[in-house]
Amino acid sequence: MLPNILYLHSHDTGRFISPYGHAFSTPNLQHLAQEGTTFRQMFCAAPSCSPSRAALLTGQCAHSSGMLGLAHRGWTLHDYSQHILHTLRRAGYTSTLCGIQHIAAGPESAKIIGYDEDLQPRSHAQNVAQSAGEWLENRAKSGETAPFFLDVGFIETHTLFEDESTFGRGLGDPRFVRVPPPLPDTPQTRQDFADYSESVKILDGAIGAILAALEKTGFAQNTLVIFTTDHGIPFPAMKCNLTDFGCGVAFIVRGPQTETGQIWNGGQVCDAMLCQSDVFPTLCEFLGIAVPSHVQGTSFLPVLRGETAQIHDEIFAEVTHHAAYEPMRSVRTQRHQYIRRFDGRQTPVLPNCDDSRAKTLWLEHGWKTRKIEEEQLFDLVFDPNQTQNLAQNPDFAPVLADLRNRLQNWMERTNDPILNGPVPVPSGTMEKNPDDISPRRVG
């Protein structure tokens, strides 16, 4: 019998939860990790909300899927039938959306993607958890035997000043907060991370409620539970950046209580370098269903079965459009990362950073005019925070040439539109000027 799939995903969480060693209150995610497998080196394919989700759900890079920018600003998939729910449907699955999805926009978005059912709560973790829990209870009562794909999306931990989000409102206690690099330890940044702490606590509570409902209804024994997020947290040099601070994501999976499901379980830690576009083919192999021809990712089941330590020599990531145009691409190996920008701009694209106290602090100290190099090369062993650019260091010329070549080959292989020049926006797309300050207002 095919297992159910519970797909839990948050907004802007990076790896800042307790299973990755951070002092935030996420006991439910910690428990999930202790029962399942925590992937320490999972990366998104694009550190921007819609492109990242599209890559995971279609199994291909963002520019191949068509999602080169944000869905609510006008971008769409080339083909919504490439969403994983359609592959699952052919195998007998039903599909239900609860919460946000962010790869289609408008009141008909769930229908555009192809979900069988849309529970419709779009914000606030408690509301999403309540709807998901009630759905599980009703499903159990119905006697329906078809496996389900339940997609549960949370707006948390996004910074949304205009709604009732706890993030950014000064509700967290900043006294004992550790501020991680690349940000300085100041009262402002401590308050930002204290507020993030409150937001991730709410997220964790909602996830705990859904997992409890899964147990109560008896579905837990035959459900594959996946938790991940779209990209890094929404602070300067993190979200919408191609370093590990932007692309590193949490990814935790707990398998069903079956013989085949045990490869995911037991509190394991996986150190293989992976990309979220690998999730689609991995699920197909695990379920024993054919991988569609459009999928570019690689199954990582061989890693879980102990057949190999790595499946990739390199992984790629990209940003094209976010709130504003900022074309850049990267290739990452175990040892090095190479990032290239394509717009000739030498200063930050500030509307691609969400507003926060940390952003204000950086702006007050001259961030707007701080120079950005067209090419960046980092040694991930000696410089894990990716602050020392080695692109001009002659000792690293062979490494630079190799990674330039790898990136060029990937762009050509995937028909990256940036090879043909600036990537235009679709008609009607809302986009900020790169010289603006905020994603919300003209700077």
Side-chain angles (χ1 to χ4, degrees):
M1 182 170 61
L2 289 171
N4 306 307
I5 300 172
L6 173 59
Y7 169 49
L8 305 164
H9 49 102
S10 68
H11 223 321
D12 297 13
T13 308
R15 296 182 184 138
F16 284 81
I17 55 177
S18 59
Y20 291 85
H22 297 284
F24 295 112
S25 180
T26 55
N28 295 297
L29 287 170
Q30 183 70 37
H31 183 68
L32 184 67
Q34 289 169 341
E35 292 186 333
T37 296
T38 300
F39 293 78
R40 301 285 303 212
Q41 297 295 315
M42 178 66 79
F43 297 89
C44 67
S48 175
C49 312
S50 301
S52 168
R53 298 167 192 272
L56 187 153
L57 292 166
T58 69
Q60 55 191 329
C61 63
H63 64 259
S64 292
S65 76
M67 194 63 72
L68 287 151
L70 300 173
H72 68 279
R73 291 182 181 269
W75 291 90
T76 64
L77 294 180
H78 289 318
D79 183 355
Y80 279 93
S81 72
Q82 293 179 343
H83 190 293
I84 193 171
L85 73 83
H86 296 281
T87 297
L88 294 173
R89 176 177 291 141
R90 289 190 290 272
Y93 281 80
T94 63
S95 58
T96 299
L97 173 66
C98 181
I100 69 164
Q101 42 77 24
H102 214 180
I103 60 169
E108 298 296 311
S109 57
K111 184 177 180 181
I112 291 169
I113 298 169
Y115 289 95
D116 296 315
E117 188 177 12
D118 179 13
L119 305 184
Q120 295 196 350
R122 294 289 183 252
S123 63
H124 308 306
Q126 299 95 326
N127 297 338
V128 172
Q130 180 178 349
S131 293
E134 291 173 353
W135 184 88
L136 288 167
E137 291 178 2
N138 292 333
R139 180 80 172 198
K141 292 175 183 176
S142 73
E144 173 65 59
T145 59
F148 62 75
F149 172 65
L150 177 57
D151 180 342
V152 181
F154 300 98
I155 197 67
E156 289 81 6
T157 54
H158 200 294
T159 55
L160 294 173
F161 290 88
E162 64 272 20
D163 71 2
E164 298 175 14
S165 169
T166 59
F167 205 157
R169 295 183 175 273
L171 300 179
D173 183 350
R175 293 176 299 166
F176 311 113
V177 173
R178 177 181 180 269
V179 178
L183 297 175
D185 185 353
T186 70
Q188 298 97 316
T189 57
R190 288 196 294 273
Q191 187 63 65
D192 271 342
F193 275 86
D195 287 359
Y196 171 83
S197 178
E198 292 299 307
S199 185
V200 79
K201 185 186 300 182
I202 290 170
L203 168 69
D204 185 78
I207 289 172
I210 295 171
L211 294 178
L214 199 69
E215 292 284 349
K216 179 182 177 182
T217 54
F219 287 126
Q221 295 299 309
N222 192 43
T223 298
L224 181 73
V225 179
I226 300 169
F227 168 75
T228 192
T229 189
D230 47 5
H231 46 63
I233 53 179
F235 294 122
M238 297 185 179
K239 175 181 176 179
C240 211
N241 285 269
L242 293 177
T243 62
D244 288 3
F245 288 112
C247 292
V249 293
F251 191 76
I252 302 170
V253 183
R254 185 183 70 191
Q257 300 304 309
T258 62
E259 184 177 347
T260 56
Q262 292 306 311
I263 60 171
W264 305 95
N265 298 340
Q268 304 175 82
V269 169
C270 177
D271 283 306
M273 183 177 67
L274 304 171
C275 181
Q276 284 182 330
S277 58
D278 298 325
V279 175
F280 194 139
T282 303
L283 289 178
C284 287
E285 183 180 359
F286 178 66
L287 299 173
I289 58 181
V291 180
S293 59
H294 72 266
V295 170
Q296 298 167 338
T298 302
S299 171
F300 51 81
L301 278 195
V303 173
L304 297 180
R305 292 194 295 253
E307 298 167 5
T308 183
Q310 298 288 342
I311 61 168
H312 292 300
D313 294 324
E314 69 220 354
I315 57 172
F316 300 92
E318 63 187 287
V319 171
T320 307
H321 294 268
H322 187 66
Y325 186 52
E326 189 176 11
M328 48 185 171
R329 304 287 186 265
S330 76
V331 55
R332 186 193 194 279
T333 66
Q334 286 287 335
R335 181 64 187 269
H336 298 101
Q337 183 175 30
Y338 169 67
I339 301 171
R340 181 183 170 190
R341 306 176 74 88
F342 289 85
D343 57 356
R345 186 181 179 91
Q346 296 183 330
T347 53
V349 180
L350 297 173
N352 284 346
C353 178
D354 292 346
D355 296 334
S356 64
R357 297 174 187 84
K359 180 177 181 178
T360 299
L361 177 70
W362 273 31
L363 287 171
E364 289 171 349
H365 288 79
W367 188 27
K368 185 176 182 179
T369 58
R370 191 173 177 87
K371 185 177 179 180
I372 298 179
E373 297 86 352
E374 180 179 344
E375 292 185 296
Q376 295 174 303
L377 176 67
F378 302 110
D379 185 327
L380 301 174
V381 171
F382 290 104
D383 182 25
N385 290 331
Q386 296 161 281
T387 60
Q388 184 180 0
N389 184 9
L390 302 171
Q392 302 302 317
N393 188 324
D395 292 341
F396 288 83
V399 175
L400 181 63
D402 174 47
L403 296 184
R404 279 174 175 166
N405 185 59
R406 294 193 198 202
L407 185 63
Q408 182 70 21
N409 288 341
W410 173 72
M411 293 170 65
E412 293 175 356
R413 187 169 66 248
T414 57
N415 297 314
D416 193 334
I418 209 168
L419 292 171
N420 300 319
V423 179
V425 298
S427 176
T429 299
M430 300 175 291
E431 189 163 76
K432 303 290 290 184
N433 187 311
D435 290 324
D436 289 346
I437 300 295
S438 169
R440 296 185 299 131
R441 61 180 183 274
V442 176

